[in-house]
Every structure is written in structure tokens, then in C-alpha cells.
Amino acid sequence: MTDGVIRVVLVDDQALMRAGFRALLDAEDGIEVVGEAADGEQGLALIRAQVPDIALIDVQMPVMTGIEATRHIAADPALSDVRVVILTNYGHDEYVFEALRAGASGFLLKDTEPADLLQAIEVVAGGEALLSPSVTRTLIGEFVSRPPDRATAPGLECLTRREREVTALAARGLTNEEIAAHMVISPFTAKTHISRAMTKLGARDRAQLVVFAYESGLVAPRGSDASAC
């Protein structure tokens, strides 16, 4: 952020949708929309030029999808501080999990309440994942029902027992405070374990850590007979 102002780029192929988001965000002190784009390719070029704090990206667009654009952003070291929030029309959109795998920090429904949108931008700009416990428990669990891809997931051996435990609890939707209560440790210690696990696994944020937990098989998806490690 520059001078405490959160810089935002809007990427959506619907001009009316962009206009609505822009009007809301520009009216808020501490948030500045620095550009708009109508497809993923234009959006990626704009993001590379502006390097915003937040990129609000539609999941389905012409030329380049939001997921593909997110992959490019996550793979570019020059954009390591850019946080992607995927915009979707449906809360149980199958694309949401793919977006998180690609490097998104979370997602928002396009019909979200204005106050929730503003709060979400502040949360993500602060370095947190936009994954509420309810979202983590339902959406992530539902869309990782495929067998875990242990061949591509980082090895669990790099994590300590405590780090594996907090990662598993985070993947089940527990907050730092809830993890601390469950493990009988302080919230600060819980946050430290989470941060260390993210560093070891190369996770951009908590959302990526949750994805890892399911991909590696550390946590079994909802409805699976497999048990967590």
C-alpha cells in the first residue's frame, strides 16, 4: 500500500459490473481503483504495469480466464505482493477451488453486500486469506473430493508435528484463536506455527496452505472415508 491507500485493479468482461464496483470502491477513503480491464489478457498486462495491492478478477472471461491470469500473477516474482480475489456468480462454483490452487487469496460473490466487499478488500490487503470458516468447511471440502495429488504436493516431512497439526486444523476452518484453544497454546503461537508452515511449503497465504492440506492428503475431504494424518 502507498500512504495507507489500497490500490485495486478490476478485471471483468461486464462493463456494468466494473462500473458498480468502481463507484463503490472510489467512494471509500483508503481505496483507489487504479485501472480496469475487460478480459484476462488485458488484466494481466494492467496488473503488471500497475502492481496493485488487490486484483479483483472475474473467473470466466474471454481471451484469458481469471484462473489462467491468476496463475501468471502467482508465478511472477515481480507480482508477489499482488493479492488476487476471484469474482464469481455462484457460491459453490467449481472454479473457486481451481482459483485457490492457482494462487488466489480468496473469492467473492458478485452480489456480495457493499460492506462485505469493503471488509474483504481490507482483509486480503492485510495479508489474510478471504476464507471464512464456513467457506473452508463447505466449499473447499466439497471441491477437493477428488483423490489427493500426493505426487505434486510438497512433502509433509518438511513440517514438524505441531505445524502439521495446525495446518490440518486451519484446513478444517478453524481460526487462530480456535486452533489455540484446541491445542492449548496461545493465539500468537498458533499464528507462528501457521506462518512457519506457509514458509516451508511456499504458500502465498492461508488459502494456499488450506489447498496444500487437501492436496497432500493431510486432511480428508468431506465425505471421504480416509482419515486425516
Side-chain angles (χ1 to χ4, degrees), residues 18-193:
R18 295 198 311 273
F21 276 118
R22 179 157 204 155
L24 174 64
L25 297 178
D26 278 344
E28 186 71 11
D29 291 338
I31 298 177
E32 178 187 6
V33 177
V34 296
E36 301 177 24
D39 62 56
E41 188 173 59
Q42 293 177 7
L44 183 59
L46 178 61
I47 290 164
R48 284 173 170 159
Q50 293 289 342
V51 193
D53 301 299
I54 303 290
L56 294 178
I57 303 179
D58 186 18
V59 69
Q60 291 178 296
M61 291 181 294
V63 185
M64 179 186 292
T65 68
I67 294 174
E68 187 177 353
T70 299
R71 289 195 184 100
H72 284 289
I73 293 168
D76 190 339
L79 303 178
S80 61
D81 291 332
V82 177
R83 294 291 174 260
V84 175
V85 175
I86 291 293
L87 300 171
T88 177
N89 286 314
Y90 307 103
H92 285 247
D93 194 324
E94 64 179 358
Y95 295 108
V96 171
F97 178 66
E98 293 301 323
L100 295 176
R101 288 174 89 185
S105 293
F107 78 98
L108 279 174
L109 296 178
K110 288 189 175 182
D111 62 354
T112 191
E113 292 294 325
D116 292 336
L117 170 64
L118 297 174
Q119 181 182 22
I121 288 176
E122 292 180 359
V123 166
V124 176
E128 296 297 322
L130 189 57
L131 288 176
S132 68
S134 61
V135 168
T136 304
R137 293 181 183 122
T138 59
L139 182 70
I140 303 300
E142 181 172 343
F143 288 109
V144 279
S145 56
R146 65 190 70 132
D149 187 1
R150 292 182 176 85
T152 58
L156 290 173
E157 65 275 3
C158 69
L159 300 182
T160 65
R161 179 181 62 82
R162 281 297 212 185
E163 288 163 356
R164 289 176 61 171
E165 187 174 355
V166 297
T167 298
L169 293 172
R172 293 191 178 100
L174 273 66
T175 64
N176 287 346
E177 289 72 20
E178 291 169 335
I179 291 172
H182 181 88
M183 298 178 63
V184 195
I185 57 178
S186 71
F188 176 79
T189 300
K191 182 177 181 180
T192 298
H193 285 314

Side-chain angles (χ1 to χ4, degrees), residues 197-219:
M198 286 170 51
T199 298
K200 289 181 178 180
L201 298 172
R204 285 166 62 94
D205 54 29
R206 197 183 186 98
Q208 291 291 289
L209 193 64
V210 170
V211 170
F212 162 79
Y214 284 100
E215 286 282 274
S216 65
L218 178 63
V219 174

